[in-house]
Amino acid sequence: MTDFNSFKLLPSILDIIEAKGYKHPTLVQERTIPVLLKGHDVLGIAQTGTGKTASFSLPLLDRLVKKKKQLKPNEIRALIIAPTRELATQIHKSVLSYSEGLDISSAVIIGGVRKSNQIELMTSGIDIVVATPGRFMDLMGGGHILFDQLEVFVLDEADMMLDMGFYDDVKTIASKLPVKKQTVMFSATMPKQIELLAKSILVRPIKIAATQQSSTLDKVSQSVYTVLEENKLPLLLNLLSNDSVERVLVFCKAKYAVADIVEALIKNNISNGEIHSNRTQNERNQAIKDFTEGNVRVLVATDLASRGLHIDNVTHVINYNMPDDATFYVHRIGRTARAGREGTAISFCSERDLGPLRKVQKLIQLVIPKITKHPFHHEYAPLKKGHHRPSSASLRQRKTMSQTKISAKKKFLEHL
Ligand code: AMP
């Protein structure tokens, strides 16, 4: 098994890794770190939870520390772009922990917080900036970011960037960067448009695939509860009456459902938090903090949060409804069984969830076992092959998709 010492990382960085208790590199680290240390561009297929943040952060820190530069105001040396505020914040947290004690400055530039503070911060010149595209474009447009010293560009979760309609923003940002630099792009999947983007921004990249998806899924015990839509809330409360359902992430497709669930939890004195696009960034951060620190038992979230949440001991993920996009299911249940632990994923399926359930089972190549011994069990007639009962959300989405694709998808994402 590879050892971190076999990489030619600086001793100060190896010390940090040791202090963090990492014994061996993960697969993506084993494959990516040596390649980045040699200066190549990388195109990586890996999801969150595989250790990919360290795989690009450690070589980046190594490079910046080895050749320390005095930055002028507004100059940056590395830019990491991520699609959501949560992801950018999580990446920045990791960067901070991997650079503890090193003479490296870093900052996170995201929307939902005061721009003036970020503008002020940039005046000192920052080694590593982690940002979401919108706010970064804003600061860039105002001349608050200078790229003369930029050496490394990392684009994380590129496929999600596309899903969220940031494709053009990413291309604009990439076009402003110096030609001579190292570029790293990570994506969980590789749709055609992402391949094209990769071609346009990477130079002779080394391709690395390290999804480890199946092993993560293997550690999650998955089950389906078929239930009438109106009985989902009572079923949720019934499950939560069991104390072993300890630290629970409940996923919903749309934010209006989150409000109903939160109301029921409050009525039943079950501590909870919520994250979706109607919450301010501070509220979202606070909800995640409360949940991480164990102050609240249930966190209700839309798919906005299904990627990038670093909470290591979620015992249960409950899919209050099935996502229309089957890949979201994988991201959702990947929030449990992290850091080598076991986890449980329970999916509530009413009639409108049966079509999406079928798509999920096709994707993960598994018939998820059905639990029938519960007070709200409802048996549905099996779907005939090729027949789908589309959910109202997917009908809504399908209608808008026939207009212009990207704006429709953006609209759909506003439900999150
Ligand atoms: P990431 O995929 O970057 O989101 O990382 C997922 C989790 O794995 C984080 O909690 C990291 O702290 C942890 N991690 C990253 N690399 C290692 C490693 N080599 N050994 C143990 N844990 C790790």
mmCIF file of all heavy atoms in Angstrom, residues 375-394:
data_model
loop_
_atom_site.group_PDB
_atom_site.id
_atom_site.type_symbol
_atom_site.label_atom_id
_atom_site.label_comp_id
_atom_site.label_asym_id
_atom_site.label_seq_id
_atom_site.Cartn_x
_atom_site.Cartn_y
_atom_site.Cartn_z
ATOM 1 N N PRO A 375 -46.411 0.639 9.899
ATOM 2 C CA PRO A 375 -47.846 0.925 9.952
ATOM 3 C C PRO A 375 -48.396 1.645 8.719
ATOM 4 O O PRO A 375 -49.601 1.704 8.538
ATOM 5 C CB PRO A 375 -47.992 1.808 11.202
ATOM 6 C CG PRO A 375 -46.630 2.119 11.675
ATOM 7 C CD PRO A 375 -45.658 1.241 11.004
ATOM 8 N N PHE A 376 -47.522 2.213 7.882
ATOM 9 C CA PHE A 376 -48.027 3.004 6.756
ATOM 10 C C PHE A 376 -47.751 2.341 5.404
ATOM 11 O O PHE A 376 -47.807 2.996 4.363
ATOM 12 C CB PHE A 376 -47.407 4.416 6.799
ATOM 13 C CG PHE A 376 -47.709 5.112 8.089
ATOM 14 C CD1 PHE A 376 -46.756 5.164 9.102
ATOM 15 C CD2 PHE A 376 -48.963 5.664 8.318
ATOM 16 C CE1 PHE A 376 -47.040 5.783 10.298
ATOM 17 C CE2 PHE A 376 -49.252 6.286 9.521
ATOM 18 C CZ PHE A 376 -48.292 6.345 10.520
ATOM 19 N N HIS A 377 -47.466 1.043 5.451
ATOM 20 C CA HIS A 377 -47.151 0.363 4.189
ATOM 21 C C HIS A 377 -48.331 0.421 3.213
ATOM 22 O O HIS A 377 -49.469 0.206 3.576
ATOM 23 C CB HIS A 377 -46.787 -1.101 4.468
ATOM 24 C CG HIS A 377 -46.598 -1.887 3.206
ATOM 25 N ND1 HIS A 377 -45.571 -1.610 2.333
ATOM 26 C CD2 HIS A 377 -47.333 -2.882 2.643
ATOM 27 C CE1 HIS A 377 -45.672 -2.425 1.293
ATOM 28 N NE2 HIS A 377 -46.730 -3.203 1.456
ATOM 29 N N HIS A 378 -48.025 0.721 1.966
ATOM 30 C CA HIS A 378 -49.044 0.704 0.922
ATOM 31 C C HIS A 378 -48.457 -0.025 -0.287
ATOM 32 O O HIS A 378 -47.349 0.276 -0.703
ATOM 33 C CB HIS A 378 -49.430 2.139 0.533
ATOM 34 C CG HIS A 378 -50.493 2.183 -0.510
ATOM 35 N ND1 HIS A 378 -51.832 2.146 -0.196
ATOM 36 C CD2 HIS A 378 -50.414 2.231 -1.868
ATOM 37 C CE1 HIS A 378 -52.534 2.173 -1.321
ATOM 38 N NE2 HIS A 378 -51.700 2.231 -2.340
ATOM 39 N N GLU A 379 -49.201 -0.976 -0.790
ATOM 40 C CA GLU A 379 -48.681 -1.765 -1.910
ATOM 41 C C GLU A 379 -49.147 -1.143 -3.224
ATOM 42 O O GLU A 379 -50.341 -0.899 -3.418
ATOM 43 C CB GLU A 379 -49.213 -3.204 -1.782
ATOM 44 C CG GLU A 379 -48.466 -4.222 -2.623
ATOM 45 C CD GLU A 379 -46.990 -4.347 -2.279
ATOM 46 O OE1 GLU A 379 -46.658 -4.466 -1.086
ATOM 47 O OE2 GLU A 379 -46.159 -4.310 -3.217
ATOM 48 N N TYR A 380 -48.227 -0.855 -4.116
ATOM 49 C CA TYR A 380 -48.581 -0.336 -5.437
ATOM 50 C C TYR A 380 -48.464 -1.453 -6.464
ATOM 51 O O TYR A 380 -47.581 -2.316 -6.332
ATOM 52 C CB TYR A 380 -47.646 0.809 -5.848
ATOM 53 C CG TYR A 380 -47.843 2.058 -5.023
ATOM 54 C CD1 TYR A 380 -46.967 2.369 -3.982
ATOM 55 C CD2 TYR A 380 -48.910 2.915 -5.277
ATOM 56 C CE1 TYR A 380 -47.142 3.506 -3.224
ATOM 57 C CE2 TYR A 380 -49.094 4.057 -4.516
ATOM 58 C CZ TYR A 380 -48.213 4.356 -3.496
ATOM 59 O OH TYR A 380 -48.397 5.477 -2.748
ATOM 60 N N ALA A 381 -49.316 -1.389 -7.475
ATOM 61 C CA ALA A 381 -49.181 -2.361 -8.561
ATOM 62 C C ALA A 381 -47.852 -2.116 -9.249
ATOM 63 O O ALA A 381 -47.446 -0.960 -9.397
ATOM 64 C CB ALA A 381 -50.328 -2.171 -9.554
ATOM 65 N N PRO A 382 -47.130 -3.186 -9.633
ATOM 66 C CA PRO A 382 -45.830 -2.961 -10.279
ATOM 67 C C PRO A 382 -45.968 -2.166 -11.568
ATOM 68 O O PRO A 382 -46.959 -2.335 -12.284
ATOM 69 C CB PRO A 382 -45.310 -4.384 -10.557
ATOM 70 C CG PRO A 382 -46.467 -5.293 -10.356
ATOM 71 C CD PRO A 382 -47.509 -4.594 -9.557
ATOM 72 N N LEU A 383 -44.971 -1.326 -11.824
ATOM 73 C CA LEU A 383 -44.973 -0.549 -13.072
ATOM 74 C C LEU A 383 -44.684 -1.482 -14.228
ATOM 75 O O LEU A 383 -43.806 -2.334 -14.136
ATOM 76 C CB LEU A 383 -43.850 0.501 -13.026
ATOM 77 C CG LEU A 383 -44.124 1.822 -12.342
ATOM 78 C CD1 LEU A 383 -42.913 2.714 -12.506
ATOM 79 C CD2 LEU A 383 -45.340 2.491 -12.933
ATOM 80 N N LYS A 384 -45.429 -1.317 -15.312
ATOM 81 C CA LYS A 384 -45.111 -2.123 -16.502
ATOM 82 C C LYS A 384 -43.837 -1.586 -17.123
ATOM 83 O O LYS A 384 -43.560 -0.398 -17.050
ATOM 84 C CB LYS A 384 -46.258 -2.032 -17.509
ATOM 85 C CG LYS A 384 -47.478 -2.777 -17.039
ATOM 86 C CD LYS A 384 -48.366 -3.127 -18.244
ATOM 87 C CE LYS A 384 -49.619 -3.817 -17.793
ATOM 88 N NZ LYS A 384 -50.590 -2.874 -17.212
ATOM 89 N N LYS A 385 -43.072 -2.500 -17.741
ATOM 90 C CA LYS A 385 -41.818 -2.084 -18.368
ATOM 91 C C LYS A 385 -42.068 -0.955 -19.379
ATOM 92 O O LYS A 385 -43.038 -1.006 -20.139
ATOM 93 C CB LYS A 385 -41.198 -3.285 -19.089
ATOM 94 C CG LYS A 385 -39.699 -3.330 -18.930
ATOM 95 C CD LYS A 385 -39.174 -4.590 -19.556
ATOM 96 C CE LYS A 385 -37.732 -4.532 -19.899
ATOM 97 N NZ LYS A 385 -36.788 -4.039 -19.022
ATOM 98 N N GLY A 386 -41.240 0.036 -19.305
ATOM 99 C CA GLY A 386 -41.372 1.145 -20.264
ATOM 100 C C GLY A 386 -42.408 2.177 -19.860
ATOM 101 O O GLY A 386 -42.520 3.230 -20.447
ATOM 102 N N HIS A 387 -43.187 1.841 -18.807
ATOM 103 C CA HIS A 387 -44.196 2.803 -18.381
ATOM 104 C C HIS A 387 -43.690 3.570 -17.165
ATOM 105 O O HIS A 387 -43.233 2.978 -16.196
ATOM 106 C CB HIS A 387 -45.487 2.061 -18.020
ATOM 107 C CG HIS A 387 -46.544 2.980 -17.454
ATOM 108 N ND1 HIS A 387 -47.377 3.708 -18.255
ATOM 109 C CD2 HIS A 387 -46.853 3.303 -16.179
ATOM 110 C CE1 HIS A 387 -48.187 4.429 -17.481
ATOM 111 N NE2 HIS A 387 -47.878 4.204 -16.223
ATOM 112 N N HIS A 388 -43.759 4.861 -17.210
ATOM 113 C CA HIS A 388 -43.306 5.657 -16.074
ATOM 114 C C HIS A 388 -44.460 6.469 -15.550
ATOM 115 O O HIS A 388 -45.275 6.970 -16.305
ATOM 116 C CB HIS A 388 -42.186 6.608 -16.493
ATOM 117 C CG HIS A 388 -40.964 5.880 -16.927
ATOM 118 N ND1 HIS A 388 -40.036 5.404 -16.039
ATOM 119 C CD2 HIS A 388 -40.550 5.520 -18.157
ATOM 120 C CE1 HIS A 388 -39.088 4.789 -16.710
ATOM 121 N NE2 HIS A 388 -39.379 4.847 -17.995
ATOM 122 N N ARG A 389 -44.546 6.568 -14.240
ATOM 123 C CA ARG A 389 -45.500 7.527 -13.689
ATOM 124 C C ARG A 389 -44.686 8.756 -13.343
ATOM 125 O O ARG A 389 -43.999 8.787 -12.331
ATOM 126 C CB ARG A 389 -46.114 6.987 -12.400
ATOM 127 C CG ARG A 389 -47.041 5.817 -12.591
ATOM 128 C CD ARG A 389 -47.636 5.496 -11.233
ATOM 129 N NE ARG A 389 -48.488 4.344 -11.293
ATOM 130 C CZ ARG A 389 -48.088 3.130 -10.946
ATOM 131 N NH1 ARG A 389 -46.874 2.909 -10.523
ATOM 132 N NH2 ARG A 389 -48.928 2.124 -11.003
ATOM 133 N N PRO A 390 -44.683 9.762 -14.212
ATOM 134 C CA PRO A 390 -43.819 10.906 -13.947
ATOM 135 C C PRO A 390 -44.314 11.715 -12.756
ATOM 136 O O PRO A 390 -45.530 11.830 -12.550
ATOM 137 C CB PRO A 390 -43.890 11.723 -15.237
ATOM 138 C CG PRO A 390 -45.123 11.265 -15.911
ATOM 139 C CD PRO A 390 -45.477 9.902 -15.420
ATOM 140 N N SER A 391 -43.392 12.224 -11.993
ATOM 141 C CA SER A 391 -43.777 13.064 -10.882
ATOM 142 C C SER A 391 -44.221 14.421 -11.431
ATOM 143 O O SER A 391 -43.878 14.797 -12.548
ATOM 144 C CB SER A 391 -42.589 13.270 -9.956
ATOM 145 O OG SER A 391 -41.632 14.029 -10.615
ATOM 146 N N SER A 392 -44.969 15.168 -10.594
ATOM 147 C CA SER A 392 -45.406 16.473 -11.080
ATOM 148 C C SER A 392 -44.208 17.365 -11.332
ATOM 149 O O SER A 392 -44.179 18.143 -12.266
ATOM 150 C CB SER A 392 -46.356 17.110 -10.075
ATOM 151 O OG SER A 392 -45.765 17.067 -8.801
ATOM 152 N N ALA A 393 -43.169 17.210 -10.469
ATOM 153 C CA ALA A 393 -41.972 18.051 -10.664
ATOM 154 C C ALA A 393 -41.303 17.723 -11.995
ATOM 155 O O ALA A 393 -40.881 18.611 -12.714
ATOM 156 C CB ALA A 393 -40.988 17.843 -9.521
ATOM 157 N N SER A 394 -41.247 16.406 -12.313
ATOM 158 C CA SER A 394 -40.565 16.079 -13.562
ATOM 159 C C SER A 394 -41.397 16.529 -14.753
ATOM 160 O O SER A 394 -40.869 16.907 -15.784
ATOM 161 C CB SER A 394 -40.229 14.596 -13.639
ATOM 162 O OG SER A 394 -41.369 13.847 -13.937
#
